[in-house]
Amino acid sequence: MNKLISLFIVLTSLVFSQDRSIIFSTGTPDSTSGFLIDNTNSYANRFSVNVDFVLEAMNFFMTSENQENSNIHISIREDLNGIPGELVSEFSEWNYTIDFDHPFNYNLIQTTNLCVYLDSGNYYWFVIEAADNLTEVSWIYSNSPLYQIASSQDSGISWQTDVSYAGAGSIFGEQIYVQESSEGDLNSDFTTNVVDIVSLVSYVLGESSFDQEQLIIAD
């Protein structure tokens, strides 16, 4: 059964994760037990990034006994001295209804078009809370108890941290590459063509000037 679940996750991930990186992942859970998320209880996973990323997607494993009241609020937050802090951006929060059509309690949110940036060397929090007073869902436990997590019993007003089982899920991102200008690319459009030649001739004739970077590229 676990092999079937893993195969499903891999095939689903291939739909959106080509040329993307896994920033954080707990793997596929083995059970359906998890953290209770309701109008007072909230949970968060802490993760870090070692290069600059744009957030691409996130998945998480959740179950609920009541399909009519399964509305959650998800956010990616900055790290504030080891606990969840402010939103990374105005686009880094989502209201979501648990998808009961997906097998294995798998849920996916894609964020490709939102330009949520995660900066190298920083910690962040993947936070899930109830979106209304009636919701009661379970964020299924990770298989390993070695994750940094935070829990709140007052709707996110205060947080307590621990090293324990996390809420099962993954964070995906696309790495940001800063492409250097090529030799002769005087206008930094990442190609060397007649426009650059005209600029160089203009400089030689004394009709224009170059900054230090352009002088190095033109050399």
Side-chain angles (χ1 to χ4, degrees):
M1 183 64 174
N2 284 340
K3 290 183 178 179
L4 179 60
I5 295 174
S6 298
L7 178 60
F8 169 79
I9 300 304
V10 169
L11 292 175
T12 304
S13 298
L14 286 175
V15 173
F16 69 89
S17 64
Q18 293 180 2
D19 299 324
R20 292 170 175 82
S21 300
I22 297 175
I23 299 174
F24 169 85
S25 179
T26 66
T28 304
D30 289 335
S31 72
T32 56
S33 300
F35 298 111
L36 172 64
I37 293 178
D38 57 18
N39 63 327
T40 58
N41 293 290
S42 310
Y43 287 87
N45 295 339
R46 194 183 193 216
F47 66 96
S48 63
V49 296
N50 54 10
V51 296
D52 293 335
F53 282 104
V54 174
L55 182 67
E56 290 289 307
M58 63 195 83
N59 65 38
F60 47 93
F61 297 82
M62 306 203 77
T63 184
S64 174
E65 297 296 328
N66 189 341
Q67 295 190 18
E68 294 183 359
N69 298 308
S70 301
N71 306 306
I72 57 175
H73 181 78
I74 302 167
S75 59
I76 301 296
R77 295 183 174 272
E78 296 177 351
D79 183 80
L80 178 63
N81 299 320
I83 63 172
E86 297 295 323
L87 292 170
V88 170
S89 80
E90 61 180 311
F91 304 113
S92 66
E93 60 178 341
W94 305 265
N95 286 322
Y96 181 85
T97 300
I98 301 301
D99 187 353
F100 291 95
D101 293 329
H102 264 297
F104 316 122
N105 305 302
Y106 177 87
N107 292 265
L108 172 70
I109 293 179
Q110 297 191 55
T111 62
T112 309
N113 62 332
L114 298 179
C115 296
V116 177
Y117 294 98
L118 304 175
D119 296 327
S120 173
N122 288 340
Y123 283 97
Y124 296 95
W125 290 91
F126 177 22
V127 181
I128 298 185
E129 306 165 277
D132 55 53
N133 291 330
L134 298 177
T135 287
E136 289 188 2
V137 298
S138 292
W139 191 0
I140 298 175
Y141 296 133
S142 63
N143 295 331
S144 167
L146 301 177
Y147 295 96
Q148 291 181 298
I149 69 165
S151 60
S152 173
Q153 296 179 327
D154 53 15
S155 303
I157 297 174
S158 62
W159 293 91
Q160 297 76 45
T161 59
D162 196 2
V163 175
S164 180
Y165 292 95
S170 301
I171 305 288
F172 299 87
E174 184 165 357
Q175 186 174 347
I176 300 172
Y177 294 95
V178 179
Q179 184 175 352
E180 295 183 0
S181 297
S182 60
E183 186 174 303
D185 180 18
L186 296 172
N187 62 351
S188 300
D189 63 354
F190 305 114
T191 184
T192 302
N193 53 29
V194 67
V195 176
D196 301 295
I197 296 173
V198 171
S199 296
L200 182 58
V201 171
S202 177
Y203 172 77
V204 171
L205 295 176
E207 297 175 355
S208 63
S209 60
F210 286 168
D211 59 27
Q212 186 62 35
E213 182 179 357
Q214 287 175 309
L215 288 172
I216 294 172
I217 293 172
D219 187 9

